[in-house]
Amino acid sequence: LVGQISDDAHWLLNMVENLLSVTRIQTSPTALNKTPELVEEVVNETVVNLKKRLPGAELSISIPDDPLFVPMDATLIEQVLINLLENAVYHSASTRPIECRVTEDAQNVWFRVIDYGTGIREDRLCIIFDGTANSESHTADGRKGMGIGLSICKAIISAHGGQINARNHAHGAEFYFSLPKEDICDEL
């Protein structure tokens, strides 16, 4: 009973943090506190915070060896990563550790959360970030979400000038998002 109360309290705290963040962004797009952040530190802080909530979560992290700085609001990006990783742990029924990979191309840094589980129903892929819960959907663990977490992730990434998407692969699902290497506001 105490464990269930603790889980519910953590879920509620996460939901309130998400709602406050998206409200802040929608109220004032300039409310982002973007500074050049070392990607490795942001990912490490995310893992530390996730492990506090889900100590049994199995993760595999892959980050470029060279230091990689990206303009971002680190707190919000950590929140996006935690949301994606928690969803993968809770909903994917992954048979292998959840992967968090960071890669880069000429303009963007890409963050990928990859699971090896049940995947996403094809009819949900095109609407997964719209904030609507599907009352008929059941996850592998029996948990149901409100559908708002991914829409909050999309709002945060869009406010950063990035893109977020999801797709299935042969053995599960992948959520991925980009952050521009250069702050668009600096160029104006």
Side-chain angles (χ1 to χ4, degrees):
L1 182 60
V2 171
Q4 183 63 43
I5 291 169
S6 177
D7 287 348
D8 289 346
H10 286 290
W11 177 85
L12 185 59
L13 176 63
N14 191 37
M15 186 57 60
V16 169
E17 287 173 351
N18 284 334
L19 292 171
L20 288 172
S21 295
V22 82
T23 301
R24 180 176 64 139
I25 291 169
Q26 289 176 340
T27 305
S28 174
T30 60
L32 286 179
N33 184 23
K34 287 172 72 172
T35 57
E37 299 286 345
L38 184 60
V39 170
E40 182 177 10
E41 287 182 7
V42 173
V43 172
N44 287 340
E45 187 66 24
T46 297
V47 170
V48 167
N49 288 328
L50 181 72
K51 286 291 196 170
K52 287 178 187 174
R53 294 179 188 187
L54 301 170
E58 293 184 47
L59 305 172
S60 172
I61 309 298
S62 174
I63 303 170
D65 291 333
D66 293 332
L68 185 57
F69 287 88
V70 178
M72 70 173 87
D73 184 321
T75 302
L76 294 178
I77 297 304
E78 287 173 22
Q79 197 168 341
V80 169
L81 285 168
I82 285 174
N83 282 348
L84 296 177
L85 289 165
E86 276 187 349
N87 282 349
V89 170
Y90 283 137
H91 302 298
S92 72
S94 191
T95 58
R96 294 175 25 195
I98 307 299
E99 292 183 24
C100 180
R101 295 184 192 164
V102 178
T103 59
E104 65 177 314
D105 61 29
Q107 291 84 28
N108 298 294
V109 173
W110 292 89
F111 296 78
R112 301 177 189 286
V113 173
I114 305 164
D115 68 59
Y116 296 89
T118 57
I120 302 164
R121 283 188 5 213
E122 289 297 323
D123 63 325
R124 297 284 301 150
L125 279 172
C126 61
I127 60 171
I128 199 160
F129 293 101
D130 72 0
T132 59
N134 184 351
S135 60
E136 297 175 10
S137 70
H138 294 280
T139 60
D141 65 354
R143 291 179 181 255
K144 276 188 167 182
M146 292 176 53
I148 195 167
L150 292 174
S151 67
I152 291 169
C153 290
K154 182 177 181 178
I156 291 170
I157 297 305
S158 294
H160 279 79
Q163 301 171 18
I164 187 167
N165 212 332
R167 63 181 167 211
N168 287 319
H169 61 86
H171 304 287
E174 176 181 359
F175 285 81
Y176 55 99
F177 67 90
S178 64
L179 293 177
K181 288 182 176 180
E182 300 292 327
D183 193 347
I184 296 168
C185 295
D186 288 346
E187 296 174 4
L188 299 178

